[in-house]
């Protein structure tokens, strides 16, 4: 219960789905958690209420990770409220446009790239500036929630595929830059997880059956199964793990893009 005791963690996009599961587990393990949302204030407050009801500490902030100015203001507020921060989980993200490149608008491209790639960059940079100020790199963590599409591409989703593969190489570069200071940077690449972002599949029994039939586990993943990996990467147990990607997909990615 005390794996993260004394730690302070930011989990972006944590009002629902995977982010919510990570925030709840981190709080259960002793971390003080920053919950962020861009929409769904009530859901974010419910996460904070659940954490506090169980004896933990949390606070919710509204922030659009795609907006550089908002991120700067957010991290200024965080430092005023919490001082140093130990863990950053870049989880906030949106789905791709499901549009072939020849028909994709610049607006569609930009929207996904700004949230899914610029967002982690803006947050990581601001986080690292806090680490630089306090000189507390060692033992700190950056964890990116990417997707199996960081290395498996599907047609009609170029903006999402590009953003997630960009997150992969961004994390690996950061891992190299921070290795000498013993600060770790890793990715978690989920497959089909049963969260609101996959509502179109979950709400259609036949579509869900077909999708789960492709997965070697024959079921979609649970948000808590991703959160468990995030806990390992946030903990001291992963002190020598950096520049890695952990797939949480029931072996789906092994089948490749033609599954």
């Amino acid at each position: 219960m005390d794996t993260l005791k004394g730690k302070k963690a930011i989990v972006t996009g944590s009002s629902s789905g995977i982010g919510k599961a990570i925030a709840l587990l981190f709080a259960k393990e002793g971390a003080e958690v920053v919950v962020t949302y861009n929409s769904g204030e009530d859901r974010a407050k419910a996460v904070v209420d659940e954490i506090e009801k169980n004896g933990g500490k949390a606070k919710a902030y509204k922030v659009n990770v795609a907006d550089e100015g908002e991120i700067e203001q957010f991290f200024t507020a965080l430092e005023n409220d919490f001082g140093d921060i130990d863990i950053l989980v870049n989880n906030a993200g949106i789905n791709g446009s499901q549009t072939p490149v020849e028909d994709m608008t610049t607006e569609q491209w930009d929207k996904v790239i700004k949230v899914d790639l610029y967002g982690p960059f803006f947050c990581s940079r601001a986080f690292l500036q806090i680490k630089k100020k306090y000189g507390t790199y060692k033992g700190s963590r950056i964890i990116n929630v990417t997707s199996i599409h960081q290395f498996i591409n599907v047609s009609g989703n170029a903006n999402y595929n590009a953003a997630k593969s960009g997150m992969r190489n961004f994390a690996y570069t950061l891992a190299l830059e921070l290795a000498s200071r013993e600060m770790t940077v890793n990715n978690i690449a989920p497959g089909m997880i049963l969260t609101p972002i996959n509502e179109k599949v979950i709400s259609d029994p036949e579509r869900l059956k077909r999708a789960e039939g492709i997965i070697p586990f024959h079921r979609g993943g649970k948000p808590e199964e991703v959160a468990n990996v995030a806990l390992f990467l946030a903990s001291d147990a992963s002190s020598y793990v950096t520049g890695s990607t952990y797939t949480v997909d029931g072996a789906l990615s092994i089948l490749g893009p033609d599954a």
Side-chain angles (χ1 to χ4, degrees):
M1 298 291 290
D2 293 329
T3 302
L4 301 180
K5 185 177 181 180
K7 302 291 186 181
K8 300 172 186 176
I10 305 166
V11 184
T12 66
S14 45
S15 62
S16 65
I18 290 171
K20 175 182 176 180
I22 293 172
L24 292 175
L25 183 58
F26 279 18
K28 181 180 179 182
E29 292 294 337
E32 191 168 354
V33 179
V34 174
V35 173
T36 86
Y37 66 97
N38 186 34
S39 60
E41 181 179 3
D42 290 344
R43 294 194 304 271
K45 288 183 176 179
V47 174
V48 171
D49 288 345
E50 184 173 348
I51 289 171
E52 292 179 340
K53 180 180 177 181
N54 291 317
K57 295 182 179 179
K59 187 173 182 179
Y61 295 79
K62 184 181 187 302
V63 61
N64 176 7
V65 298
D67 188 307
E68 184 176 10
E70 283 195 30
I71 289 297
E72 291 175 354
Q73 293 173 7
F74 167 58
F75 273 87
T76 296
L78 278 184
E79 188 179 358
N80 289 336
D81 291 344
F82 294 96
D84 194 10
I85 305 290
D86 304 286
I87 302 160
L88 168 65
V89 180
N90 286 312
N91 169 74
I94 58 175
N95 270 331
S97 305
Q98 304 296 323
T99 306
V101 170
E102 61 184 324
D103 300 319
M104 187 178 292
T105 66
T106 302
E107 181 181 9
Q108 288 176 312
W109 174 268
D110 283 349
K111 183 178 180 180
V112 175
I113 296 295
K114 288 288 282 186
V115 174
D116 291 0
L117 186 55
Y118 274 64
F121 164 67
F122 290 150
C123 290
S124 297
R125 181 178 62 183
F127 177 63
L128 289 171
Q129 287 169 351
I130 289 178
K131 305 314 300 177
K132 184 176 182 178
K133 179 176 180 179
Y134 287 90
T136 52
Y137 294 96
K138 185 175 181 179
S140 294
R141 308 280 191 259
I142 294 177
I143 302 165
N144 294 324
V145 179
T146 61
S147 164
I148 59 172
H149 296 298
Q150 73 168 51
F151 37 68
I152 292 178
N153 294 283
V154 292
S155 61
N157 228 11
N159 45 9
Y160 189 79
N161 296 336
K164 294 303 182 178
S165 61
M167 283 182 74
R168 174 191 62 194
N169 288 328
F170 174 62
Y172 292 176
T173 301
L174 272 182
L176 288 173
E177 292 179 355
L178 297 168
S180 64
R181 286 167 272 185
E182 296 192 34
M183 179 175 176
T184 68
V185 186
N186 292 286
N187 289 342
I188 303 173
M192 191 182 81
I193 307 299
L194 302 178
T195 67
I197 201 170
N198 288 315
E199 181 60 32
K200 289 182 179 179
V201 176
I202 297 169
S203 61
D204 184 335
E206 286 301 316
R207 190 174 176 184
L208 178 60
K209 183 178 179 180
R210 289 195 302 271
E212 291 190 320
I214 296 170
I215 301 168
F217 258 47
H218 299 299
R219 68 170 176 84
K222 303 172 185 177
E224 293 78 13
E225 292 175 308
V226 182
N228 288 333
V229 178
L231 176 62
F232 164 69
L233 292 174
S235 74
D236 291 340
S238 65
S239 59
Y240 200 57
V241 177
T242 194
S244 297
T245 292
Y246 286 73
T247 54
V248 185
D249 66 352
L252 178 61
S253 59
I254 296 172
L255 299 177
D258 298 323

